[in-house]
Amino acid sequence: MIYRETGQFKSTYENDHSIFPLIQDKIAFNILMLIAFLFVPLVIDSYWEKAILIPFLIYSMAAIGLNILTGYCGQVSLGTGGFMAVGAFATYKLMTIFPELNIMIIVLLSGVITALVGIVFGLPSLRIKGFYLAVATLASQFFLIWLFNKVPWFYNYSDTGQITVSERTMFGIAVTGANAPSYATYLFCLILVVGLGFAAKNMIRSKIGRSWMAIRDMDIAAEIIGVSPLKTKLSAFAISSFYIGIAGSLYFAVYLGALEVTESFDIMAISFPVLFMIIIGGLGSMLGSFLGAAFIVLLPIFLKNVMVDLIGLSAVTAKHFEITTWGLLMVIFLIVEPHGLARLWSLAKEKLRKWPFPY
Amino acid sequence: MSVELLNFIETVLNGLMSGVMYSLVALGFVLIFKASGVFNFAQGVFALFAALTLVGFQTGQIPFSHLINELFGTNLHNWYPSLHSFLAILLTIVTMIILAWLVERLVLRHLVNQEPIILFMATIGLAFVLEGVGDLMWGSDVKVLDVGIPSGGSIWLEEATIGWASEGSEYYGMYIDVLNVWATIIAVILVTALALFSQYTKTGRALRAVADDHQAALSVGISLRSIWILVWGISGFIAMVAGIMWGTESGVQFSLSLIALKALPVLILGGFTSIPGAIIGGLLIGVGEKLAEIYIGGLLDIGAIENWFAYVLALVFLLFRPQGLFGDKIIERV
């Protein structure tokens, strides 16, 4: 009754091509944005910032990046952790070499650097595909982590091998470092995620996105109709790495503040969770990237609360339970809905169209 | 002989033997991939789980005792002080077969005809579950595994080779771990038995038929389900052997499951579908890794290139032969 397209006519091409074809969707989205930009910054506290919102935004960014590569272009990658490390270390080096540079520019430049690295590590995709490629991307993961660990130049010859962020401001308000207020870090990430999210959505709807999907669906057929695999695959690697690099940059500069590469960007800590996000969210779906990220961020918090606070297990045992539950959910989810949360959402919308009078 | 040459031989020998260990893990991957088309990421955790279970049976630990103690305040520890290794191994094999049956019943059966990536993710989920359950069942402390395989340097070999170096040079003989020698022997027996089994028994023929073509195998009356259970069971058995070897060397702990990551470059080098590929790939990677560590790593004064060298080696190789050494030829049609 509330959610239906009756009476909404599309009389121009712009109307027909809009991201939200239904006025209800548009209104809902705008309200969501208003809440996110105006209401949340007023009430945010440090727990919500550090435990939920910032990780959610950063993982969303990484998930969008991986979704472009895996969901839209069909190239499975397990090297997300390595690329995020590139973003983080690029940010660190840029910060220390150019102390005057604006933090926003540093973050975007880190993305560009990661994109270049991504092109290099995307080269094997021209020759190999499927699981062979997936394992080959592991090479980038291990090589990059090793590089940042072993070459002291990357961490400015510090004794611990740690990199630490220094304070940077936007419009006079600190957004990185220990003194940054919660609302500032949150807004900084939110602006980047929303802006780049729209950019990704529009790329997917335009020629470049269509050629990604053509390559994904069948690369030989795509080549025959004139889609260049070289350009398409490498552009997917570049743009995907750009997003993942920015996620890594924010992960270091805004979220953690100080990190050690082998621990923070481990394959189990980043690469698999992000891959799981896009699968649980929905391969080839923008909404899915966000839903998947939210799921992965909220699940451990939920489990921990239930296990430790409610049942009263020790932290170690709870951790084991968490891993088990985590794996079980993964398997159950894949069995019940292999197309992910985004599919559930669209099914729900389909139901909602006829609700409450189905006939 | 000069000391350099002897050192080189020693490195190659050690490389070959660690390569055998990689092959053992890769073999489990290949068997499952051939028979059910699943890229089983949980193979490493299988090894960990098998090793944990083996230690648990050996020492008579009560499963879930940590958990029960914590929940009910009891103080449970052991059923019995110790069990003979042979019996413990038998019990572990039974456990692994039950596990294979559970995997087929609860996971694989529901995921037939899904995309390979979905199946792959499901095995990652499986890996998490097994890791968690293994820790809950047997506790997460590092355990010592000893089934009576000797380990340590071979004194006999050291004494035999000490005279080989040319006069006047300082040379103390070759160092080779006896455990690795045993691992090699056991692996050879295992692979021979496997080859004989798949070549000369009825079940073995069915196994190869399924690996060749699922639908054709189904149409001549081979039960896919029982073959899958069998294959996962065999992989579980191989995982146990690998788990025993690696566990004896470095103790049973979580890092044992990471040997799966060591086996992946072996897989792409040898080809996902070839058993000889897994073995030769493993040997190549083992030797390449050790040589690179000593000659390239030593030359540039940078350590620990072992972690990624195998991957890069496999990657460079793939650029020339995208299907791996012995993989099926890739034929693509529109």
Side-chain angles (χ1 to χ4, degrees), chain A residues 328-347:
Chain A
L328 271 180
L329 276 175
M330 230 155 139
V331 174
I332 291 171
F333 223 95
L334 290 171
I335 289 171
V336 176
E337 186 49 89
H339 298 285
L341 291 165
R343 172 67 164 269
L344 288 181
W345 174 250
S346 68
L347 286 178

Side-chain angles (χ1 to χ4, degrees), chain A residues 127 129 132 146 279 314 317, chain B residues 70 121 272 308 319 332:
Chain A
R127 271 297 267 176
K129 45 187 92 163
Y132 286 94
W146 171 85
I279 286 178
S314 75
T317 317
Chain B
E70 219 167 89
M121 285 311 289
F272 277 120
W308 56 267
L319 292 181
E332 285 180 287

Side-chain angles (χ1 to χ4, degrees), chain A residues 46-346:
Chain A
S46 122
Y47 174 76
W48 273 81
E49 176 215 357
K50 286 288 177 209
I52 298 172
L53 288 171
I54 299 278
F56 164 68
L57 290 172
I58 291 173
Y59 280 128
S60 303
M61 182 77 96
I64 292 173
L66 190 63
N67 222 338
I68 287 175
L69 188 62
T70 304
Y72 288 101
C73 196
Q75 315 292 311
V76 182
S77 164
L78 300 174
T80 318
F83 291 126
M84 273 181 76
V86 174
F89 276 79
T91 306
Y92 178 65
K93 286 310 282 186
L94 287 171
M95 270 182 161
T96 46
I97 295 173
F98 307 105
E100 297 301 314
L101 214 55
N102 188 302
I103 179 72
M104 188 62 107
I105 296 173
I106 289 181
V107 170
L108 291 175
L109 271 181
S110 310
V112 174
I113 292 171
T114 317
L116 295 177
V117 176
I119 291 178
V120 174
F121 283 102
L123 285 174
S125 72
L126 303 174
R127 271 297 267 176
I128 51 185
K129 45 187 92 163
F131 282 125
Y132 286 94
L133 179 67
V135 177
T137 55
L138 271 180
S140 62
Q141 164 85 25
F142 288 117
F143 176 74
L144 289 169
I145 299 292
W146 171 85
L147 187 72
F148 294 131
N149 210 8
K150 285 287 166 188
V151 181
W153 181 77
F154 285 112
Y155 48 86
N156 283 358
Y157 306 95
S158 77
D159 293 331
T160 49
Q162 271 204 344
I163 54 173
T164 319
V165 76
S166 45
E167 192 170 297
R168 290 287 184 279
T169 56
M170 287 270 290
F171 311 114
I173 304 163
V175 290
T176 64
N179 297 324
S182 297
Y183 71 89
T185 55
Y186 165 74
L187 277 178
F188 185 68
C189 291
L190 185 68
I191 289 168
L192 275 167
V193 170
V194 170
L196 290 171
F198 265 109
K201 180 77 187 170
N202 282 324
M203 261 187 280
I204 289 155
R205 286 155 11 110
S206 59
K207 186 187 168 204
I208 189 168
R210 285 192 295 274
S211 52
W212 288 339
M213 285 183 254
I215 289 283
R216 169 192 67 188
D217 290 343
M218 180 165 249
D219 51 355
I220 297 183
E223 201 175 343
I224 288 168
I225 58 167
V227 178
S228 153
L230 177 90
K231 265 194 232 160
T232 312
K233 283 182 180 172
L234 290 189
S235 67
F237 264 97
I239 289 165
S240 146
S241 307
F242 177 78
Y243 280 85
I244 293 172
I246 286 185
S249 168
L250 293 175
Y251 192 67
F252 159 63
V254 179
Y255 181 46
L256 290 181
L259 58 80
E260 201 272 320
V261 62
T262 37
E263 199 181 312
S264 307
F265 296 109
D266 185 52
I267 180 162
M268 290 295 175
I270 299 281
S271 301
F272 282 131
V274 175
L275 185 61
F276 189 50
M277 275 173 215
I278 64 168
I279 286 178
I280 213 168
L283 282 171
S285 152
M286 278 298 284
L287 177 71
S289 312
F290 289 99
L291 292 178
F295 187 84
I296 300 282
V297 169
L298 292 178
L299 182 69
I301 296 174
F302 172 74
L303 284 177
K304 191 162 177 293
N305 281 348
V306 171
M307 292 294 169
V308 177
D309 303 340
L310 227 62
I311 306 181
L313 292 172
S314 75
V316 179
T317 317
K319 187 79 198 157
H320 296 158
F321 254 116
E322 189 192 313
I323 295 171
T324 315
T325 323
W326 177 261
L328 271 180
L329 276 175
M330 230 155 139
V331 174
I332 291 171
F333 223 95
L334 290 171
I335 289 171
V336 176
E337 186 49 89
H339 298 285
L341 291 165
R343 172 67 164 269
L344 288 181
W345 174 250
S346 68

Side-chain angles (χ1 to χ4, degrees), chain A residues 30-49:
Chain A
N30 286 337
I31 291 175
L32 186 72
M33 284 296 109
L34 278 180
I35 293 174
F37 274 101
L38 297 178
F39 179 65
V40 176
L42 293 178
V43 295
I44 190 170
D45 59 17
S46 122
Y47 174 76
W48 273 81
E49 176 215 357

